[in-house]
Amino acid sequence: MVFAEAPAQVIFNEKKEPDDIVEDDAEEIDEEDYEIENDGDEEDDTPKNKFESCCVCHRTEEQGAKLIHMPTGLSICSDCMQKSFDSFNSGFGGGNGIQFLDLSNMDFNNLKDMNLGDLLSGTMSNQKPKTKKAKKKKKKEEPKLTLKNIPAPHQIKAQLDEYVIGQDYAKKVMSVAVYNHYKRVITNTMDEIEIDKSNMLMIGPTGSGKTHLVKTLARLLNVPLAICDATSLTEAGYIGDDVESVLSKLLANADNDVEKAETGIIFIDEIDKIAKKKNTTSRDVSGESVQQALLKLLEGSEVEVPVGASSKNAMVPTAVMNTRNILFICGGAFPGLEDIIKERMTQHSSIGFHAELKDKYDHEKNMLQYVTVEDIRKFGMIPEFIGRLPIIFTLNALTKEMLVDILKEPKNAILKQYQKLLALDEVDLQFEEGALTAIAEKAMEKDTGARALRAIIEKFMLDIMYEIPKDDNIGRVTITEDYIRNNGAPLIEMRPYLQLEQKKREIAAAEEQKEN
């Protein structure tokens, strides 16, 4: 194709007249089908070069168009480009983070030598889509522990007393162990004498507060603490969690800081579930083998720990942790251990003046307090495992008086929780002392410890919490002893009555002040 300076006339091979050509037909014609000739008859109304006019509106610079030269060699005026950008912006819905050029205030005096590609890249780089970034909470810098600010055992026990009722001996043992662990982490040596850690084994009946003690301790401490369950642990290579998963949880709680995790505390709950299975013909993958795998962790060694997974494989990154400074606390209910203790204590002859009766310990509530290492070995724990837990202590079974105190004394007591729930509905909830005693007696019958308290209260509070939102006039609900013993109903007082009683008390108080 040749561009002439004079007006051009198109000559086709099929000898069509120029007036018969339609624009649509002209687009389908190949370059080989026509030539351009100069007839020299008319004046030239088109620009000398098509690149000197706008490729959209065909205006030239002489006609007032401000041309922008595109990278392909074509030119476009600023008005057509702005209309294109506006149509794109409206088509995308706007406000979606896509921003186009604004040519309204642009200087076009020196646009002849300007490249549109550079213009777009320079402008778009300054107009990046606005995206909302999640603000990371700044972590408070925890004060470093020194020998001066280590919490003393009596301070740790005083904080535990606010949440846990009874179990004074267990709280003393745990307070001293944690205190020594703090000192061991800080000093590590004392006069070139290396301090060994004292792992603990906590034995107590179900519902006596083993897990609650550790969870409360976790809120009070500043060291990483992980609570794990031994029931899911299996031998390496079998379905289940490897023993290294207990270290993975500690590492996760320490924000994947290996150095910080190496000075933490691990509580392994339900440790009695990995005892050796008796009279079994199948491979014991979750019993004695797990105890043997835990030996190296309890003793102290360098272990490869999977990061963010429960087992090691080729796709999971690992980190090396040294467990020499990690304090392990193991806990379990050990059901059936009482019978082993009783059998040992009544194995003497029952004939003679100094004989012991076979039923001497039948009514003993705290039989676990007489436990020995030999009893735990007979239960199914291997001697190597017991030897790495030098501190063994027991928790007492809960009495009726302790259950009543658990209902109302701790900071997060069950009764306080329900009173808070009803206070949101502007209703005052009260419990009679006889009702608390009746709840404790029912819990003793279930023989599941403190866990039975919530189940009993939930049963009696169901109808009350269902009916209270129906009537806005209810002002106070009193749980009576007869209601707990299924001999009556709770006492409900309406708001007008309570307001009248309040006015009477105010009048009586005002009269007393006048008399005085």
Side-chain angles (χ1 to χ4, degrees):
M1 186 184 297
V2 181
F3 291 92
E5 297 180 358
Q9 181 180 1
V10 182
I11 301 175
F12 293 89
N13 295 336
E14 298 180 359
K15 299 181 179 180
K16 290 184 179 180
E17 295 297 328
D19 297 337
D20 299 333
I21 298 176
V22 187
E23 294 180 2
D24 294 339
D25 296 332
E27 294 178 359
E28 299 177 357
I29 298 173
D30 295 331
E31 296 180 357
E32 299 176 355
D33 296 337
Y34 62 90
E35 297 177 356
I36 299 177
E37 276 188 14
N38 183 11
D39 54 5
D41 294 335
E42 298 179 357
E43 293 183 13
D44 187 3
D45 294 334
T46 60
K48 297 180 180 179
N49 193 333
K50 71 173 184 178
F51 299 118
E52 296 180 359
S53 64
C54 177
C55 62
V56 179
C57 65
H58 304 290
R59 292 189 303 159
T60 61
E61 291 184 349
E62 288 77 4
Q63 295 175 347
K66 299 179 180 179
L67 298 180
I68 300 175
H69 301 289
M70 300 177 67
T72 58
L74 296 177
S75 301
I76 186 173
C77 66
S78 60
D79 296 334
C80 295
M81 180 175 284
Q82 187 63 58
K83 290 178 182 179
S84 302
F85 287 160
D86 293 341
S87 62
F88 281 137
N89 198 18
S90 60
F92 282 119
N96 54 1
I98 300 177
Q99 297 180 357
F100 294 98
L101 289 171
D102 185 7
L103 306 177
S104 58
N105 297 323
M106 188 175 291
D107 185 12
F108 292 94
N109 295 328
N110 299 319
L111 283 180
K112 290 184 178 180
D113 299 329
M114 185 179 292
N115 191 340
L116 183 61
D118 298 336
L119 179 66
L120 290 174
S121 61
T123 308
M124 289 299 183
S125 61
N126 297 329
Q127 295 180 355
K128 295 181 179 179
K130 296 181 180 179
T131 57
K132 294 183 179 179
K133 295 183 179 180
K135 295 182 179 179
K136 294 183 179 180
K137 295 183 179 179
K138 294 183 179 179
K139 294 183 179 180
K140 296 182 180 179
E141 295 183 359
E142 298 178 356
K144 292 184 178 180
L145 288 176
T146 60
L147 290 175
K148 295 182 179 180
N149 61 4
I150 297 177
H154 70 278
Q155 296 174 339
I156 299 176
K157 183 180 179 298
Q159 293 178 324
L160 291 175
D161 289 337
E162 297 180 357
Y163 296 92
V164 183
I165 300 298
Q167 313 298 356
D168 290 335
Y169 178 72
K171 287 187 284 190
K172 285 181 181 178
V173 174
M174 296 185 70
S175 301
V176 172
V178 171
Y179 176 67
N180 291 335
H181 180 68
Y182 272 112
K183 293 193 296 185
R184 186 171 183 272
V185 168
I186 295 172
T187 60
N188 197 15
T189 57
M190 188 175 295
D191 297 332
E192 298 182 355
I193 298 176
E194 186 176 354
I195 304 173
D196 290 333
K197 62 179 177 180
S198 299
N199 298 323
M200 294 179 285
L201 176 61
M202 181 168 33
I203 303 174
T206 179
S208 58
K210 301 183 296 297
T211 308
H212 184 56
L213 263 173
V214 179
K215 286 184 177 180
T216 305
L217 193 65
R219 295 196 299 265
L220 305 178
L221 297 180
N222 291 325
V223 295
L225 190 145
I227 300 177
C228 310
D229 197 338
T231 56
S232 61
L233 299 179
T234 58
E235 188 178 353
Y238 288 84
I239 295 176
D241 296 342
D242 296 344
V243 292
E244 289 84 1
S245 65
V246 299
L247 299 177
S248 298
K249 294 181 180 179
L250 180 64
L251 185 61
N253 293 342
D255 297 330
N256 293 331
D257 187 351
V258 176
E259 184 178 355
K260 184 178 179 182
E262 287 178 348
T263 59
I265 300 175
I266 294 179
F267 174 66
I268 306 177
D269 201 1
E270 308 294 343
I271 198 67
D272 54 301
K273 304 304 185 293
I274 61 172
K276 288 193 296 185
K277 306 298 187 295
K278 299 178 182 178
N279 301 326
T280 179
T281 57
S282 61
R283 183 176 179 85
D284 190 9
V285 299
S286 61
E288 182 180 355
S289 58
V290 177
Q291 295 185 49
Q292 294 171 350
L294 284 172
L295 295 180
K296 61 178 182 179
L297 301 185
L298 299 177
E299 179 91 26
S301 61
E302 292 186 353
V303 185
E304 285 190 4
V305 180
V307 180
S310 60
S311 61
K312 291 185 290 186
N313 56 69
M315 303 300 294
V316 176
T318 59
V320 178
M321 287 182 60
N322 193 335
T323 63
R324 190 174 61 88
N325 291 329
I326 297 178
L327 181 65
F328 286 87
I329 305 174
C330 300
F334 289 85
L337 186 60
E338 297 92 339
D339 299 333
I340 298 175
I341 298 172
K342 192 183 298 183
E343 181 182 356
R344 174 180 56 82
M345 298 184 69
T346 58
Q347 65 183 356
H348 301 289
S349 175
S350 59
I351 299 175
F353 293 103
H354 299 287
E356 294 182 356
L357 299 177
K358 293 292 185 182
D359 60 349
K360 179 179 179 181
Y361 299 102
D362 287 348
H363 301 287
E364 178 66 43
K365 294 292 184 182
N366 296 321
M367 198 69 194
L368 290 176
Q369 63 182 333
Y370 305 109
V371 69
T372 61
V373 175
E374 181 65 21
D375 299 327
I376 301 174
R377 189 188 65 79
K378 285 185 178 180
F379 183 84
M381 312 304 290
I382 61 177
E384 301 94 316
F385 185 81
I386 305 173
R388 287 167 172 79
L389 300 171
I391 301 178
I392 300 175
F393 62 96
T394 61
L395 278 73
N396 299 327
L398 300 179
T399 62
K400 183 173 68 175
E401 291 75 15
M402 293 174 66
L403 290 174
V404 173
D405 291 338
I406 290 173
L407 283 172
K408 59 181 181 179
E409 293 297 334
K411 279 188 174 182
N412 57 343
I414 302 174
L415 299 187
K416 295 179 181 178
Q417 297 177 25
Y418 281 96
Q419 288 173 345
K420 180 66 176 179
L421 284 174
L422 293 186
L424 298 176
D425 293 329
E426 298 181 355
V427 177
D428 185 20
L429 177 63
Q430 299 294 332
F431 285 83
E432 292 182 354
E433 288 295 330
L436 300 181
T437 304
I439 293 173
E441 291 176 356
K442 288 182 175 293
M444 293 287 292
E445 296 175 0
K446 292 182 177 294
D447 198 22
T448 57
R451 291 187 177 93
L453 295 175
R454 177 171 289 277
I456 295 171
I457 295 179
E458 284 281 357
K459 175 183 176 182
F460 289 100
M461 290 295 297
L462 176 62
D463 293 335
I464 296 174
M465 301 189 73
Y466 180 80
E467 296 293 337
I468 281 179
K470 291 183 180 181
D471 192 352
D472 295 335
N473 291 326
I474 298 177
R476 179 183 298 162
V477 177
T478 304
I479 306 299
T480 61
E481 181 179 359
D482 293 337
Y483 177 58
I484 299 298
R485 299 187 186 278
N486 300 322
N487 295 326
L491 179 61
I492 298 177
E493 299 175 80
M494 311 305 285
R495 295 185 190 276
Y497 173 76
L498 296 176
Q499 294 174 356
L500 181 61
E501 291 293 327
Q502 180 66 23
K503 289 182 179 180
K504 289 181 179 180
R505 287 193 295 268
E506 292 176 356
I507 293 173
E511 290 179 354
E512 289 180 1
Q513 290 180 356
K514 289 181 180 179
E515 291 177 358
N516 295 333

